[in-house]
Amino acid sequence: MSMRFLLAGYATAILAVMLSCAIAGRGVRRMRGLNWLMAALGSAFVGVVLIAARSHISNFFSIVVANVFIFGYYALLHQALADLLERDLRVRRLGLGLAVFLAGAFYLYGCHTDQLQVRIVIVCAVVAIQAGASLILVLGHEDEALRYQLRSVGSLLLAVLVFQVGRAIITLVWSPGSDFLQPNQLHAFMGFLYCILALAIVGAIIWLGVSLQQRELERLANTDALTGLLNRRAFDRIVKQELAGAMLEPESVCLVLLDLDYFKSINDTHGHQVGDEVIRQVGRLLGACTRSTDYVARYGGEEFAMLLTRINRPRAEAAAERLRCAISSISGLPEEIHTTASFGIAMNRAGENLHSFFARSDEALYLSKRSGRNRVQVHTGLLKPALVYTES
């Protein structure tokens, strides 16, 4: 197998992947780590071209500079992973130190004395160390929703590490000859596997990046920008799902609507920025005081909605009362504002739909406001036609 032919194919594949990344980068929301990924591919491309041009350029460029660029591919992949996973790079100096060591060793064993066997062992050791550092980075990131993507990247990094160790051992046992561009069949096959693994890692990282980006877009579509809670659309969808699951289990799901009292006067007196801070702090409290099985949303303006699952009426009323007291006790609000909230709660009925469920809770909230505010009202009677909830 001609090594130049293999390098030409590898360079072409790198260019194709770089083009794909450039096209992806023109999207509405740029993927994190994409710039580092393209830099890694560019580094690999330069290294491959310099190696392929060995008979036309000096050994310094075709051996020393080329292999530093090849190693730069793995160091920059590490940067891309750190950017994707939003991890601090505590081993940033490792890549620089390994690159300096590699340059010095290859200058010694490539320019002064031509010892291909030693150079291969050195580059295997350096790449294995860098792959190990990247593997530790991936293993330290726990995310159940991305377990398959993380396992793919981790498995390929482990494969690179094992491959480099195996390649170093084989090189020590079976000499690769004196000309890197004219290897024997075994070393040519190992070079082919090396190229496949290197490109496979890029594919796995892109898969991880796209998955992270998709999840981030879903989060933005389902959350309120001011509070970080669910927005109205996401909350309505969840309520429909929970009602369908509890269709034959009445009095097992509770809908709580709460509205901050006299909030308009806060905006009028202190301005909208102060009003936004009040909403943020109330939202933070609601999110911190609910169970993992419950759902909280900013439903619109100063109104919040909560869905309490697997709960009965007395426990739901007690939970709402605790939240009412907690809101009225919030301290540290701007301008020493004191805020309260009115609550309306309703338990689900057999076969109830979204409109009826919200209408009964909204009716209870209306009665809470009419009865003096800063109180919890449970819906127990029949629905009043004038208060029927309509979805906007």
Side-chain angles (χ1 to χ4, degrees), residues 316-334:
E317 189 172 358
E321 182 62 28
R322 286 195 300 271
L323 288 171
R324 184 195 67 78
C325 294
I327 290 173
S328 64
S329 301
I330 293 177
S331 60
L333 291 174

Side-chain angles (χ1 to χ4, degrees), residues 27 29 47 49 53 74 98 116 130 179 212 236 250 268 275 340-341 386 390:
R29 187 175 179 85
V49 170
Y74 289 97
L98 289 174
L116 178 59
Q130 183 62 66
D179 188 356
L212 282 166
D236 283 352
D268 293 342
T340 61
T390 56

Side-chain angles (χ1 to χ4, degrees), residues 110-384:
C111 295
H112 280 246
T113 58
D114 191 6
Q115 298 186 38
L116 178 59
Q117 188 178 36
V118 176
R119 294 202 306 269
I120 292 178
V121 171
I122 291 173
V123 77
C124 286
V126 170
V127 171
I129 292 171
Q130 183 62 66
S134 299
L135 179 60
I136 292 172
L137 184 71
V138 173
L139 293 177
H141 188 83
E142 296 181 2
D143 193 328
E144 185 64 22
L146 297 171
R147 61 185 182 278
Y148 297 117
Q149 293 88 334
L150 290 169
R151 286 175 185 173
S152 296
V153 176
S155 298
L156 286 168
L157 287 170
L158 179 61
V160 168
L161 194 157
V162 173
F163 173 81
Q164 295 297 342
V165 173
R167 185 187 180 197
I169 295 172
I170 290 173
T171 300
L172 290 173
V173 176
W174 289 283
S175 174
S178 58
D179 188 356
F180 179 79
L181 295 179
Q182 297 295 329
N184 56 39
Q185 291 185 348
L186 176 60
H187 285 275
F189 179 70
M190 288 186 1
F192 174 74
L193 286 181
Y194 183 44
C195 297
I196 295 296
L197 280 174
L199 286 177
I201 292 176
V202 174
I205 292 176
I206 291 174
W207 182 28
L208 175 62
V210 170
S211 299
L212 282 166
Q213 186 181 46
Q214 183 178 3
R215 189 175 66 174
E216 177 66 13
L217 291 174
E218 289 175 355
R219 186 191 67 79
L220 292 174
N222 292 326
T223 57
D224 172 64
L226 184 61
T227 62
L229 301 175
L230 293 171
N231 59 24
R232 178 170 182 162
R233 180 177 61 179
F235 188 77
D236 283 352
R237 184 174 65 249
I238 291 171
V239 174
K240 288 179 182 178
Q241 293 171 353
E242 291 293 333
L243 283 177
M247 188 173 295
L248 301 179
E249 299 179 62
E251 301 279 320
S252 63
V253 177
C254 176
L255 176 64
V256 181
L257 293 181
L258 62 114
D259 190 88
L260 300 183
D261 298 326
Y262 304 109
F263 185 76
K264 185 177 184 300
S265 66
I266 294 176
N267 275 338
D268 293 342
T269 305
H270 304 286
H272 288 280
Q273 288 187 342
V274 172
D276 287 349
E277 181 59 27
V278 172
I279 288 175
R280 265 193 295 266
Q281 292 207 31
V282 172
R284 192 178 301 123
L285 183 146
L286 293 175
C289 294
T290 50
R291 304 170 302 171
S292 60
T293 55
D294 300 331
Y295 303 93
V296 188
R298 182 187 177 202
Y299 210 66
E302 68 273 21
E303 186 175 16
F304 296 85
M306 304 174 63
L307 188 70
L308 311 181
T309 62
R310 291 178 284 180
I311 198 168
N312 56 33
R313 185 189 300 268
R315 289 173 56 205
E317 189 172 358
E321 182 62 28
R322 286 195 300 271
L323 288 171
R324 184 195 67 78
C325 294
I327 290 173
S328 64
S329 301
I330 293 177
S331 60
L333 291 174
E335 308 292 337
E336 299 183 356
I337 292 171
H338 176 255
T339 187
T340 61
S342 300
F343 287 71
I345 68 177
M347 302 299 298
N348 70 306
R349 294 173 175 171
E352 188 166 38
N353 60 31
L354 178 73
H355 301 280
S356 172
F357 201 20
F358 268 94
R360 292 191 301 108
S361 185
D362 196 46
E363 180 183 343
L365 176 60
Y366 174 80
L367 293 175
S368 177
K369 290 283 190 182
R370 290 289 301 269
S371 302
R373 295 180 169 83
N374 190 26
R375 63 193 305 270
V376 176
Q377 177 68 49
V378 182
H379 185 278
T380 56
L382 296 175
L383 182 65
K384 296 180 181 179

